[in-house]
Structure formats: C-alpha cells, structure tokens
Amino acid sequence: MTAPLRRDAERNRQRILESARRLVAETGLAASHDDIARAAGVGVGTVYRRFPRKADLLDALFGAQVAEVAALAEAARTEPDAWAALTGFLGEVLRRQAADRGLRELLTGSPHAGELARSARERIAPTVADLVRRAQEEGRMRPDAEVGDVALVPLMAGAVLAAAPGDPDLAQRALATALAGLAAGEDRDPLPGSAPDAAGIERLLGG
Amino acid sequence: MTAPLRRDAERNRQRILESARRLVAETGLAASHDDIARAAGVGVGTVYRRFPRKADLLDALFGAQVAEVAALAEAARTEPDAWAALTGFLGEVLRRQAADRGLRELLTGSPHAGELARSARERIAPTVADLVRRAQEEGRMRPDAEVGDVALVPLMAGAVLAAAPGDPDLAQRALATALAGLAAGEDRDPLPGSAPDAAGIERLLGG
DNA sequence: GCCTAACCGGAGAGGGTCGTCCACTTGAGC
DNA sequence: GCTCAAGTGGACGACCCTCTCCGGTTAGGC
C-alpha cells in the first residue's frame, strides 16, 4: 500500500507508540497529542503527521488488544459450560480493562471510542447471544434476562473500576454481584422494564 | 451573619440560581460560571462574586435535594420490611438522579462533589448499615454481602443512567439486577474478594 | 560524497476555560 | 435630589488544547 517509512521516521513512530501506550494506560484516552509528543521526546508535528486523528493512534495502540478480546469471546463459545464461559469471558475482559485505563474507556463507551470498539462489539455480539441462550437452556441464567442485560454488566463493573482504579478486585466483586443478579434462582422478582435491543446496546456503549 | 443583599443583587442571585438549576440538571456539574452567567443574563463577574467557588453554588442548588434524600433514608429505616425499604430507597434516589444530571454526578462521586455529598453519605450510612443487618436477619439479603456492596450499587446503576440518560427505566432495571445479586438465594457462589470498608466507600464515592 | 525528497521540531494561529479587576451604574439612606 | 457604598459586566491575562506550517535537518539512492 504505502511506501515503507524512512528508518528515522519508523524509529520515531515506534517511540510514539510506546510512549502513547504507557500514557494512555495510565491517564486514559484523553491524553493529548501534545502530551504524547512530550513523553516520546518528539515534536507535536511528528505525532500529527503519523497519526492525524486520534482514531488513527487508537487503532494502532489497541487493534491487537481488541482483536484478542474478540478471540477470547470466540474461544468462550466453544466451552461446554455456557454460563461459566460467559462469566469467565466477562471476568477476563474486566481484568484487562483494570490493567489499562485506555482499554476500559475504549470498551465502555467513552466519546473517544469509535470504529474499532464498534466492530469488536459487532464481532462479539453473536457469541454472547449464543452463550446467553445456552446458559438459559442449561438453567443457569434466569429466563427473563436478555442479551441487553448482559451488555449492561461491563458498564456497571466498569463504573466501579473507574471509581477505584487501584482495586481491580473490587470491580471483580461488582461483576460477580451483577452476574449473580442474572443467574437463575428460585422465586425471583422479574426484572422491571425491558432490556435494550441491539440498537439500544449500540447507543449505550457507542457513546 | 451577613448583611442582606441590595434588592437588585438579590434579584440577580435568584436569576442565577434558577438558570443554574436548569443548566446543571441538563448538562451536569461541569457547567461553567460563564455558561451560567450567559443563561442568567448577567455578567460572569456577578456569578463569581455571589458564588466564588463551584461548591458555593452547588450548596445553594442542591442543599435541599440532598437533605431530602437523607430524610428518605431515615424514613426507610422505620419501615418493617427492611429489604423492601432498602430497595425502595435506592430506587427512589435513582429516580431523582434520573431527573437531574447534576444530582446524579453529585451523588456518584464526581470530582465536583465535595462536602455536601460527603455529609449526606455520613448521615445515610448508619441507616443503610441498619437496613442491611435487618434484611440479612429477615433472610432476604445474602449473608456474605456487606454495606460496602450496597454502596457499589448506586455506582453501577448510575453508570447505566449516565450511558442512557433518556431511558431511566433501563437504569432501574440495572438497579434491580444488582440488587438481585445481593438478594438471598440457594447455593450461590460466594462473592469474591472483600467489600470496601467505610474509608473505602468514602474514597469510591468521594472522588 | 552529493543531492533531494522525506522528515523533523516547535512556533504560532485559533478557540476554549477560569478567575480577576476596575470603570461605570444604581439602590437606598439622609 | 444627593451621595456613595454596593453592585455590575465584560475585557483581559494566564493557561491549555488542537492542528498547521515552514525553515532546517537527514537518510539513503546514485
């Protein structure tokens, strides 16, 4: 496609990516091009030249991680115990989000999110739908829960993570609480209202 | 204490409060002094003179509402069914938060929150602790849940509210899910990790 | 070694927020 | 009605962010 970069340019590109990764993991997606340039020891112009829009930078930073998450979902699909697969998947994603503030913001609907996260959600959605259906057939998940309810769970756990970034175990506990609320059980009150449909989920998580 | 304001000054003060209330309910606590001045039709200087710090303005705006919430908690304490009282209280608070973005941010640990919210939490805490104890004695709440877990619930529901401000019913559904996770039930997996203690809760919600 | 296209850095324009300051206006006591 | 303290408003300085532009530098083909 594009001609390979000159060696110095490629070197700078890598330095920018490394610094940006560190910075975004700590301070979130709002890290400015200026901050990144300073951290990388290059001029702002260089950052803008290589990554004109924030989305370009985020694609380069998070492409691999987002693909991994999608792969995790697909791996979960093949597990025999659907409920365990679903909870395990959500726990693992939360663990990764705890380690990287940027990933958390990317996956939980910050305004900076964009196309990358959208396509990941699109890839993950059918898997989650399948797991939900099977977990209900297994009798592990309450029958009045829907895919939309599962979509709310990372949002809820993510809020705890955001409030206590230093205590990932607390977010896991919040996750467990929410999932316990979706688990099957005797004489539970039905959930009020209705879960969001696909479009609603997209609006929720898409910013 | 302070001398009464001149009549024109008092009139401006009221106009500022009215405009600020409307603005903050819609756009949140981040509304700038500038925005408020423009909405009220006065100069920025006037707003700063009357409310030098954002906290001064918020106290004037939300003092009554926060006191009401605290009163609700105390009323809940007298109900015979502790679990119903607890869930009812949380639902009502969430309803109020849905109607006012400023109140949501104030009560769910935004950086702008401050002293007002802190004192309200202090007032509410013993009531919630009492309700939790009684709900567990009633056998309605799982025994391994703690006050700290209940403190996470508004945070979780608040995240849904923030993501879908136009759909308060969805937040109520998320609230119901989280509460269902804290309800008593047969052979539930214990919650992992440990709930935050009083200091942890303060850190979580206090910003 | 030379040449030039690619690349570099950072100054600076444009736009936003916060909070201050002071020349002007106005209410209210006499 | 006069006086003056209280009150007003918005211009302004200080700061931050985004993005562009261009004079100077450098890699790498010849």
Side-chain angles (χ1 to χ4, degrees):
Chain A
M1 301 288 272
T2 48
L5 291 176
R6 227 169 66 176
R7 211 187 289 156
D8 55 342
E10 180 56 33
R11 192 172 50 235
N12 273 340
R13 203 184 106 96
Q14 291 307 327
R15 287 171 62 185
I16 291 168
L17 283 175
E18 278 165 39
S19 299
R21 186 164 294 125
R22 219 171 308 131
L23 205 60
V24 168
E26 281 168 25
T27 67
L29 302 184
S32 73
H33 285 212
D34 244 293
D35 292 337
I36 293 167
R38 212 171 309 124
V42 303
V44 217
T46 305
V47 180
Y48 275 101
R49 193 170 327 103
R50 219 46 76 200
F51 306 101
R53 303 150 153 279
K54 175 149 286 172
D56 300 319
L57 183 54
L58 295 183
D59 285 357
L61 282 180
F62 289 108
Q65 293 189 62
V66 168
E68 269 181 46
V69 168
L72 278 176
E74 272 141 35
R77 195 170 197 168
T78 67
E79 284 186 39
D81 182 340
W83 176 250
L86 184 61
T87 59
F89 168 65
L90 292 173
E92 178 57 30
V93 173
L94 188 60
R95 205 163 300 125
R96 287 164 189 246
Q97 286 179 299
D100 189 326
R101 178 166 166 187
L103 189 63
R104 166 168 67 73
E105 293 182 7
L106 195 74
L107 296 182
T108 359
S110 98
H112 304 275
E115 186 53 26
L116 186 64
R118 209 198 53 69
S119 73
R121 281 195 295 275
E122 207 166 60
R123 216 176 124 190
I124 292 171
T127 296
V128 171
D130 185 46
L131 289 174
V132 166
R133 187 185 48 71
R134 283 171 47 208
Q136 286 174 329
E137 286 172 7
E138 287 171 358
R140 302 288 297 281
M141 188 186 236
R142 56 193 295 173
D144 61 338
E146 296 177 30
V147 180
D149 291 301
V150 175
L152 296 182
V153 169
L155 210 57
M156 296 193 269
V160 174
L161 197 52
D167 189 354
D169 289 347
L170 194 58
Q172 291 289 342
R173 187 170 168 109
L175 173 65
T177 302
L179 286 173
L182 295 179
E186 309 236 318
D187 44 73
R188 313 196 105 178
D189 294 335
L191 292 171
S194 51
D197 59 11
I201 295 171
E202 194 49 38
R203 239 175 293 128
L204 259 135
L205 300 176
Chain B
M1 305 285 272
T2 49
L5 291 177
R6 229 168 63 176
R7 210 188 287 154
D8 56 341
E10 181 56 34
R11 191 172 53 236
N12 273 339
R13 203 184 106 94
Q14 292 307 327
R15 286 172 62 185
I16 290 169
L17 282 175
E18 277 165 39
S19 299
R21 187 163 292 125
R22 217 171 308 130
L23 205 59
V24 168
E26 281 168 25
T27 68
L29 302 184
S32 71
H33 280 64
D34 245 294
D35 293 337
I36 292 166
R38 211 171 308 123
V42 303
V44 216
T46 304
V47 180
Y48 275 103
R49 193 172 329 102
R50 220 43 78 200
F51 306 100
R53 303 151 153 279
K54 176 149 285 170
D56 300 320
L57 183 55
L58 296 182
D59 285 357
L61 283 180
F62 289 109
Q65 293 189 61
V66 167
E68 270 182 46
V69 168
L72 277 176
E74 272 142 34
R77 195 170 194 169
T78 68
E79 283 185 40
D81 181 337
W83 177 251
L86 184 61
T87 59
F89 168 64
L90 292 173
E92 178 58 29
V93 174
L94 188 61
R95 206 163 300 125
R96 286 163 190 247
Q97 286 178 300
D100 189 326
R101 180 167 165 185
L103 189 64
R104 167 168 67 73
E105 293 181 7
L106 195 74
L107 296 182
T108 1
S110 98
H112 305 274
E115 187 52 26
L116 185 64
R118 207 197 54 70
S119 72
R121 280 195 296 275
E122 206 167 60
R123 217 175 123 189
I124 293 171
T127 297
V128 171
D130 185 46
L131 289 174
V132 165
R133 187 185 48 73
R134 283 170 48 209
Q136 286 174 328
E137 286 172 8
E138 286 172 357
R140 302 287 298 281
M141 188 186 241
R142 56 193 296 174
D144 61 338
E146 297 176 30
V147 180
D149 291 301
V150 175
L152 296 181
V153 169
L155 211 57
M156 296 193 268
V160 174
L161 196 53
D167 188 355
D169 289 348
L170 194 59
Q172 291 288 343
R173 187 171 168 108
L175 173 65
T177 302
L179 286 174
L182 294 180
E186 310 237 319
D187 45 73
R188 312 196 107 178
D189 295 334
L191 291 171
S194 51
D197 58 11
I201 294 171
E202 194 49 40
R203 239 175 293 128
L204 258 134
L205 299 176

